[in-house]
Amino acid sequence: MLYISFVFLATPILHGWNTTGITAAGASDGSGGTAPNLFSQPYGIALGSFDSLYIADFSNNRIQKWLINASNGTTVAGLSNGTAGASSIALNLPASVVLDSNDNMYFTDRDNHRVVYWANGASSGTTIAGITGTSGSTNNTFFGPCGIARDSSTGTIYIADTFNHRIMQYLVNASSGTVVAGGNGAGPGTTQLAYPYGLTFDSSSNSLLIANAQTNNIVRWVLGASSWTLVIGSPTGLSGNTSTLLNQPIGITLDPMGNIYVADSGNHRIQFFFAGQFNGITIAGVTGSPGISQSQLFSPYWVIVDNQLNLYVSDTFNNRVQFFSHYLT
Ligand SMILES: *[C@@H]1O[C@H](CO)[C@@H](O)[C@H](O)[C@H]1NC(C)=O
Ligand SMILES: *[C@@H]1O[C@H](CO)[C@@H](O)[C@H](O)[C@H]1NC(C)=O
Ligand SMILES: *[C@@H]1O[C@H](CO)[C@@H](O)[C@H](O)[C@H]1NC(C)=O
Ligand SMILES: *[C@@H]1O[C@H](CO)[C@@H](O)[C@H](O)[C@H]1NC(C)=O
Ligand SMILES: *[C@@H]1O[C@H](CO)[C@@H](O)[C@H](O)[C@H]1NC(C)=O
Ligand SMILES: *[C@@H]1O[C@H](CO)[C@@H](O)[C@H](O)[C@H]1NC(C)=O
Ligand SMILES: *[C@@H]1O[C@H](CO)[C@@H](O)[C@H](O)[C@H]1NC(C)=O
């Protein structure tokens, strides 16, 4: 049994992630529920100050904050009893969250077709993009927004308008957005996206990295460009379980060296790609083998890394968030 997967960076520094995870939040046995120690399909996650995790507790219609290694979370947005709604206090399937440096939250509220700003410690939020409860494809409406990214230097947010197959850009305080990627129907063409979920803003190249769940690839779309270039996966949208293919990628994270981490949900694994490489390495989960053991995942939707490259993974169908420690020897 292999416990550690080792990979080499450009210089001969040995990097590895322990392939045995630790349940950092939720129940290790996969139990779901609305109690403060449980989740129902955790989705997007973000790291906050003081070793905290903010977790979009999707099917519980709330955002939970967990201090790392605590036994319970607290509800910081939405209703703690899991009831859905469409108001300043109630949510309907929140999918992902980003924080500013003061832990104020910006999150997508998927089935309310909006983006909510919720100040740290506030008891209610404000719709800052979209029209609460109304779907559409105009420049101030969304259809099932899922991913969100933020440029911390300007405050501009980028929203994966998932069911409209496009990415919207909202400048600070803007009442409508601009299509910056896609918007040409779902498909594998280079001007199209197909169910974009996760995305991340890459300030070094002024571009977005976007996970297309339906066309099983990660593409780079430079802001201002009219098409994408392929970063990972099939150019034509094929799915697969080899080291160069993906199957329904959802979450994507970039580390400071430009390496990419993908929540390859349909393959039940987290794939690691060195910057510029098409060949990935499985660093968590077992390809094609969903399960509840500490080395398995079941449809992981999100992955983030902390400043030591430890992984936090939303093990979505197991109702838990898993921690995989990073080694540098
Ligand atoms: C990997 O993590 C598991 C679970 O925490 C731990 O028991 C094990 O000792 C770790 N393995 C190594 C080689 O550190
Ligand atoms: C955590 O939540 C569980 C389930 O609701 C509860 O029984 C327990 O008392 C809580 N523990 C703490 C430390 O709040
Ligand atoms: C959480 O627990 C793990 C395992 O015991 C430990 O390695 C880690 O340092 C802890 N993290 C924090 C932030 O307390
Ligand atoms: C959940 O909490 C809200 C706000 O306190 C309350 O109005 C609602 O009735 C509760 N729902 C259930 C099912 O308990
Ligand atoms: C949004 O669309 C409306 C109607 O088409 C248009 O009048 C307006 O200028 C657009 N706003 C922006 C910021 O593109
Ligand atoms: C955005 O709106 C807030 C509240 O009205 C205001 O304080 C802030 O200065 C505005 N920021 C920009 C960049 O317009
Ligand atoms: C990978 O996919 C191939 C083709 O669909 C399949 O035969 C094989 O069993 C899969 N491998 C794993 C580990 O799931």
Side-chain angles (χ1 to χ4, degrees):
M1 177 111 182
L2 192 63
Y3 287 99
I4 310 261
S5 55
F6 288 108
V7 293
F8 288 89
L9 281 185
T11 46
I13 299 170
L14 195 54
H15 271 248
W17 285 268
N18 189 331
T19 57
T20 302
I22 299 170
T23 299
S28 59
D29 69 359
S31 306
T34 58
N37 57 339
L38 300 176
F39 294 103
S40 183
Q41 300 191 310
Y43 206 124
I45 45 183
L47 274 169
S49 312
F50 306 113
D51 291 321
S52 58
L53 285 172
Y54 287 71
I55 299 153
D57 190 5
F58 186 67
S59 296
N60 277 335
N61 306 299
R62 64 188 187 184
I63 310 282
Q64 296 291 96
K65 176 181 176 181
W66 280 69
L67 296 175
I68 291 172
N69 293 340
S71 54
N72 288 16
T74 53
T75 299
V76 290
L79 298 177
S80 59
N81 63 16
T83 302
S87 67
S88 63
I89 58 166
L91 314 176
N92 193 350
L93 303 179
S96 66
V97 56
V98 288
L99 304 172
D100 68 15
S101 55
N102 295 315
D103 286 3
N104 300 308
M105 294 178 271
Y106 299 81
F107 59 84
T108 54
D109 188 15
R110 194 191 80 175
D111 280 18
N112 280 328
H113 311 291
R114 65 176 175 176
V115 175
V116 176
Y117 170 75
W118 196 300
N120 186 358
S123 55
S124 65
T126 309
T127 298
I128 56 163
I131 299 173
T132 305
T134 300
S135 65
S137 58
T138 61
N139 62 12
N140 66 343
T141 54
F142 299 100
F143 186 17
C146 288
I148 185 166
R150 183 169 176 275
D151 175 352
S152 56
S153 67
T154 60
T156 297
I157 53 173
Y158 298 93
I159 300 122
D161 189 7
T162 305
F163 292 76
N164 280 329
H165 314 292
R166 64 183 190 176
I167 309 297
M168 300 298 291
Q169 176 193 59
Y170 273 74
L171 305 179
V172 173
N173 294 348
S175 57
S176 65
T178 305
V179 179
V180 290
N184 296 310
T190 59
T191 64
Q192 295 178 301
L193 300 173
Y195 293 96
Y197 280 85
L199 81 169
T200 181
F201 174 68
D202 180 10
S203 58
S204 68
S205 56
N206 201 37
S207 66
L208 298 169
L209 287 175
I210 304 163
N212 280 309
Q214 193 183 52
T215 45
N216 304 295
N217 55 23
I218 308 296
V219 299
R220 183 184 300 280
W221 200 303
V222 175
L223 291 174
S226 55
S227 62
W228 50 254
T229 54
L230 186 70
V231 178
I232 296 167
S234 162
T236 57
L238 290 178
S239 67
N241 59 20
T242 63
S243 61
T244 58
L245 293 175
L246 302 170
N247 187 352
Q248 295 174 44
I250 305 278
I252 174 178
T253 284
L254 202 56
D255 72 19
M257 286 78 75
N259 305 311
I260 299 174
Y261 304 73
V262 179
D264 188 14
S265 73
N267 283 325
H268 311 289
R269 65 184 183 183
I270 303 301
Q271 290 295 88
F272 172 84
F273 297 84
F274 284 113
Q277 301 221 343
F278 285 99
N279 246 311
I281 298 154
T282 301
I283 57 171
V286 180
T287 303
S289 174
I292 190 66
S293 77
Q294 291 292 3
S295 60
Q296 289 171 301
L297 302 168
F298 186 4
S299 281
Y301 273 15
W302 219 258
V303 56
I304 57 172
V305 294
D306 66 16
N307 57 14
Q308 299 182 65
L309 304 185
N310 298 305
L311 308 178
Y312 290 91
V313 176
S314 251
D315 188 9
T316 303
F317 283 31
N318 279 332
N319 299 308
R320 61 185 187 180
V321 174
Q322 295 291 93
F323 169 85
F324 296 90
S325 60
H326 173 252
Y327 292 94
L328 187 61
T329 56

